[in-house]
Amino acid sequence: MSDAAALPGQPRGIVASGPATARTVNVLAPNPSAMTLDGTNTWIVAEPGSDLAVVIDPGPLADVHLRAVIDAVERSGRRVALTLLTHGHPDHAEGAGRFAELTRTKVRALDPALRLGDEGLGAGDVITTGGLELRVVPTPGHTADSLSFHLPADRAVLTGDTILGRGTTVVAHPDGRLGDYLDSLRRLRSLTVDDGVHTVLPGHGPVLEDAQGAVEFYLAHRAHRLAQVETAVEAGHRTPSDVVARVYADVDRSLWPAAELSVRAQLEYLAGHGLI
């Protein structure tokens, strides 16, 4: 058995539905897979004493899950007042329309195509529903529309797929771009250094107790992969699939299609900086 404290970010044991911080509760979606890990974490966020809750990433279009989220909110004596999306991938956002129908709430997102209502989300926005202070942090890179949400009162950040609770995320080229992703990781590192954030509430996988350690691990991992890709190209591996076979040889082959997206983003980044 591995020691969680020795793993990147210090993961908090198993992934399960239930409270994570003073203001957050996770409802785990029943959609586990190689890409979604244990399933999608749907986050309920509410100020103590408030009768209003914000839901982040309703998850897949599965009524059993959407109703489980609503039940969890209602058991706490609250009602859903607003729905937010970290990004538009189906495992996070496909159920948003149905969830909005069930809860009669608006859906706010960066991408206008995902919104239900007039308001979007952008840098500098602060969600204050029910007395919350939930700050919008642009974190593009995994996708162009990826956002994180800073919860200062809990010294936490909800990261969607930008930082996962286990493993590393895909830079989903061409929508995702590596330069943007590295900038986003540095932005999250600033939250840990300047704003005291110590907890990562990810879109998949366990809660991380060491936010700064998680960000540093991700930055080091990206630097290592870039160096490997550069070396592979220098050795004559020119196509993305050839580079994947060389660099990701120790990774489960079922994950190679996702790895190829990241490799395409890495090749674009290296070419843009004149390194290949």
Side-chain angles (χ1 to χ4, degrees):
M1 182 178 293
S2 61
D3 180 1
L7 296 174
Q10 297 182 19
R12 189 189 290 175
I14 64 171
V15 183
S17 297
T21 68
R23 290 166 178 80
T24 62
V25 173
N26 179 33
V27 182
L28 181 63
N31 62 334
S33 72
M35 293 300 294
T36 61
L37 304 181
D38 310 86
T40 300
N41 295 328
T42 294
W43 292 103
I44 301 168
V45 189
E47 190 68 17
S50 172
D51 62 353
L52 302 178
V54 173
V55 169
I56 298 175
D57 289 353
L61 182 54
D63 255 37
V64 64
H65 174 63
L66 302 179
R67 293 184 186 277
V69 176
I70 295 169
D71 288 347
V73 172
E74 292 179 346
R75 283 197 304 271
S76 71
R78 300 182 171 95
R79 65 176 177 86
V80 180
L82 181 64
T83 303
L84 306 177
L85 298 177
T86 61
H87 65 296
H89 279 167
D91 54 313
H92 294 258
E94 185 182 36
R98 174 61 174 156
F99 190 72
E101 178 185 332
L102 291 170
T103 58
R104 298 181 181 179
T105 58
K106 296 179 179 179
V107 177
R108 295 181 63 182
L110 178 61
D111 185 348
L114 300 172
R115 301 172 190 167
L116 291 174
D118 298 329
E119 288 187 283
L121 291 171
D125 286 350
V126 180
I127 308 301
T128 57
T129 303
L132 276 174
E133 182 184 354
L134 196 60
R135 303 174 184 172
V136 178
V137 183
T139 48
H142 169 65
T143 60
D145 69 329
S146 287
L147 299 171
S148 295
F149 298 97
H150 176 202
L151 184 57
D154 284 355
R155 298 174 64 192
V157 61
L158 299 103
T159 55
D161 282 356
T162 299
I163 293 180
L164 303 177
R166 184 170 67 249
T168 55
T169 198
V170 173
V171 178
H173 184 273
D175 183 43
R177 299 175 64 99
L178 183 58
D180 291 341
Y181 186 64
L182 295 174
D183 288 343
S184 293
L185 291 176
R186 296 182 188 109
R187 191 171 297 120
L188 292 174
R189 180 170 59 187
S190 294
L191 289 181
T192 71
V193 174
D194 301 330
D195 295 277
V197 166
H198 63 68
T199 303
V200 172
L201 305 173
H204 304 281
V207 171
L208 299 177
E209 303 282 9
D210 177 15
Q212 186 172 355
V215 175
E216 296 293 358
F217 169 76
Y218 266 62
L219 285 166
H221 170 79
R222 286 296 163 197
H224 178 63
R225 283 297 194 212
L226 268 176
Q228 288 181 307
V229 170
E230 187 175 2
T231 298
V233 172
E234 290 172 350
H237 301 276
R238 299 294 180 183
T239 68
S241 59
D242 286 346
V243 173
V244 168
R246 167 71 177 266
V247 173
Y248 291 82
D250 59 341
V251 174
D252 189 320
R253 291 179 71 97
S254 68
L255 297 176
W256 280 17
E260 185 170 324
L261 296 179
S262 286
V263 164
R264 289 179 182 275
Q266 291 161 335
L267 291 171
E268 178 185 67
Y269 179 88
L270 290 168
H273 288 75
L275 298 173
I276 57 172

